[in-house]
Amino acid sequence: MDKFFEVLNAVDAFVWGPFFLIPLLLGTGLWLTIRLTGIQFRKLGPALHLALLKRDEGAGESTEGTQPLDDTIEGDISHYQALTTALAATVGVGNIAGVATAIHIGGPGAVFWMWVTGLVGMASKYSEAFLAVRFRTKDAKGEMSGGPQYYLEHVTKVKWLGRALAIAFAIFAIIASFGIGNLTQANSVATQLEASFGVNPWMTGLFMAALTGIVLLGGVKSIGRVTSAFVPIMIILYVGASLIVLGLYATKIPAALALIFHDAFTGTAATGGFVGSTFMMVLQYGVARGIFSNESGMGSAAIAAAAARTREPVRQGLVSMTQTFIDTIIVVSMTALVIVVTGAWTVTDADGQTLDGSPLTAQAFNIGFPGGQGHFVVAISLVFFAFSTVLGWAYYGERCVQRLFGLKAVTVYRLLFAIVVFVGCITELKVAWTLADVTNGLMALPNLIGLILASGLIARETRAYLKRDPKLQESQ
């Protein structure tokens, strides 16, 4: 088993090393940003309006001299529900534990590269959602199915290559759904509830497995209803608690930001219990934890986007790119700033070791929160974040199972997924996080290749639509 761990760690180091996935992720995001002339910056305002204020599109919406831009005749859930389903899968343990790990190993400068990954990743997320709606299909139940497991077949005229990319993505996504989307999340919930409230992991496992199964039986509409109800609440509560700490430490925020920007290019010197980091460590862990948090370039969120009630790929692309903005620029920033301004990242435990993962975030909130009870904020947030991720990834996985094995296999997948939730709660998972990292990278690879190949189509059709839609045109 030790040999297996050693090999897996070596694979993880290569996949997320400086010469493979990191330049491909950043390069693809930058390339799409250029091709789309910075759409994530130019259209962020209208995108947020579509995502948060206009929850569904009106039938027959049109302007004089044009045909209806969106008649909502196809799709299973609203723009808003597609966004919250994707946010449910994205805003998870990575926003609490992943940010802390990046800072623990790379220092405060890693946060800068998480931001960069998010900002250029918004163009990748836009492109994924665009293609998901552009090439989605109806299944035998009349529901919309789309995502990289479908659109990758259309990104090249070489049919065997497109099909190979689509199948590879589907396989890796199914594996990832049991790793990043299930085992690691369930285990985090059980561990946190036991540490903070003394809840037996078996009880947590039984409850989570049953609740997951009940929600999954209702399909994407059920998932959409659940996530649209509690995802905004969980984000607002966590951000609100973070703002309380930052308000109390307001005078230290400028210095924290200066440290983040400075160390992003120099590494971090040893200070307190922190042993120091090099520039490559800062870059590697910033990007790796950034993509783990916002999933831009992985293609996963495109699966939820494909279910949106819309006939316009551009609109759903705009809505979907706000997911990365909310996840990285808002939620990740809250966690990172609380950790840095409180100095928790330099604090050591009884054994003289600096804290890592959710314990580091909990320590930061304990230091900064009135009464020293901030760990309860982290505990409750982590439970909601992780469970929402389980629901979102369950949908991603079942859509990929359907693509490979048909509708009949979906029921089997749902049952197995619920069982694995229980297993994750009661099992020690030394290898799960590393396996999640590897499958994330393997998922992203075929999708990134597809985005590069389809960049011309995405840019051309985006320009054409923006010229037709006066409401989006006004903000140009």
Side-chain angles (χ1 to χ4, degrees):
M1 183 60 72
D2 288 341
K3 184 65 175 178
F4 173 73
F5 290 160
E6 184 180 328
V7 172
L8 188 62
N9 283 326
V11 172
D12 183 45
F14 171 74
V15 170
W16 288 105
F19 305 109
F20 187 57
L21 201 57
I22 287 177
L24 184 58
L25 275 165
L26 293 178
T28 301
L30 183 60
W31 173 245
L32 290 168
T33 297
I34 294 170
R35 291 299 304 264
L36 294 166
T37 60
I39 193 169
Q40 68 266 49
F41 308 113
R42 294 187 299 114
K43 301 298 180 183
L44 180 59
L48 288 169
H49 174 79
L50 282 172
L52 303 177
L53 299 178
K54 189 173 182 182
R55 297 202 175 187
D56 211 343
E57 298 176 357
E61 176 183 317
S62 63
T63 56
E64 185 177 354
T66 66
Q67 61 183 10
L69 293 170
D70 233 315
D71 56 15
T72 67
I73 58 173
E74 292 185 321
D76 305 311
I77 55 178
S78 68
H79 278 315
Y80 177 74
Q81 289 174 328
L83 172 66
T84 56
T85 299
L87 274 172
T90 304
V91 179
V93 174
N95 294 80
I96 294 177
V99 179
T101 297
I103 296 174
H104 169 74
I105 299 176
V111 179
F112 173 84
W113 295 107
M114 293 185 79
W115 288 337
V116 170
T117 302
L119 289 173
V120 300
M122 288 174 70
S124 300
K125 189 65 67 73
Y126 168 88
S127 301
E128 294 166 353
F130 174 95
L131 292 174
V133 175
R134 176 72 168 73
F135 294 107
R136 65 185 180 178
T137 63
K138 279 188 179 181
D139 63 24
K141 295 170 60 177
E143 295 179 348
M144 304 307 298
S145 293
Q149 72 274 29
Y150 290 95
Y151 68 63
L152 288 174
E153 290 196 53
H154 302 279
V155 298
T156 174
K157 294 181 179 179
V158 183
K159 291 185 177 181
W160 68 264
L161 175 60
R163 184 172 178 80
L165 291 173
I167 292 175
F169 174 86
I171 292 172
F172 292 136
I174 293 170
I175 297 172
S177 73
F178 288 105
I180 180 180
N182 191 324
L183 286 169
T184 58
Q185 309 295 331
N187 186 257
S188 296
V189 171
T191 301
Q192 195 68 54
L193 286 178
E194 184 178 30
S196 297
F197 306 104
V199 180
N200 189 303
W202 279 76
M203 296 300 296
T204 300
L206 289 172
F207 181 77
M208 276 191 68
L211 189 57
T212 299
I214 290 170
V215 175
L216 295 187
L217 285 176
V220 68
K221 293 181 180 179
S222 174
I223 294 172
R225 285 192 297 269
V226 172
T227 58
S228 66
F230 80 82
V231 165
I233 296 174
M234 75 180 194
I235 292 176
I236 290 171
L237 288 176
Y238 184 73
V239 171
S242 301
L243 289 175
I244 291 174
V245 175
L246 295 178
L248 295 172
Y249 283 76
T251 57
K252 295 189 176 183
I253 293 176
L257 291 172
L259 184 64
I260 289 171
F261 282 98
H262 176 270
D263 288 9
F265 301 96
T266 63
T268 303
T271 177
F274 185 74
V275 297
S277 63
T278 65
F279 168 71
M280 288 310 302
M281 291 170 66
V282 174
L283 175 63
Q284 179 176 348
Y285 282 92
V287 175
R289 294 297 99 184
I291 193 64
F292 182 81
S293 173
N294 63 54
E295 299 178 13
S296 295
M298 286 176 56
S300 50
I303 299 172
R309 283 196 297 268
T310 183
R311 56 180 286 187
E312 296 296 346
V314 170
R315 287 197 172 192
Q316 187 54 44
L318 292 172
V319 169
S320 292
M321 78 180 189
T322 66
Q323 172 208 333
T324 299
F325 178 82
I326 294 169
D327 175 273
T328 304
I329 307 305
I330 297 179
V331 182
V332 163
S333 296
M334 293 294 104
T335 302
L337 286 174
V338 168
I339 290 172
V340 177
V341 300
T342 59
W345 62 287
T346 66
V347 174
T348 56
D349 59 18
D351 298 323
Q353 302 295 318
T354 52
L355 299 173
D356 187 13
S358 57
L360 171 54
T361 306
Q363 177 67 14
F365 274 89
N366 272 343
I367 294 171
F369 213 75
Q373 300 298 311
H375 65 281
F376 288 118
V377 173
V378 175
I380 295 170
S381 297
L382 190 144
V383 169
F384 280 103
F385 283 15
F387 181 64
S388 70
T389 299
V390 168
L391 295 182
W393 270 92
Y395 178 67
Y396 297 165
E398 74 171 51
R399 293 289 94 178
C400 290
V401 165
Q402 177 190 328
R403 167 67 178 81
L404 294 180
F405 307 110
L407 273 173
K408 292 183 179 180
V410 169
T411 301
V412 176
Y413 170 83
R414 289 173 177 171
L415 177 61
L416 181 60
F417 193 88
I419 292 172
V420 172
V421 168
F422 175 76
V423 172
C425 287
I426 64 171
T427 306
E428 187 69 29
L429 300 171
K430 293 181 180 180
V431 74
W433 283 101
T434 304
L435 185 62
D437 258 357
V438 172
T439 52
N440 277 4
L442 294 178
M443 263 182 76
L445 183 59
N447 186 58
L448 292 171
I449 294 171
L451 292 180
I452 293 171
L453 293 173
S455 60
L457 168 70
I458 298 166
R460 184 170 61 252
E461 295 197 3
T462 296
R463 285 194 301 269
Y465 179 80
L466 292 178
K467 289 179 180 178
R468 288 185 5 237
D469 189 336
K471 292 183 179 180
L472 292 176
Q473 208 171 43
E474 288 169 4
S475 62
Q476 288 184 314

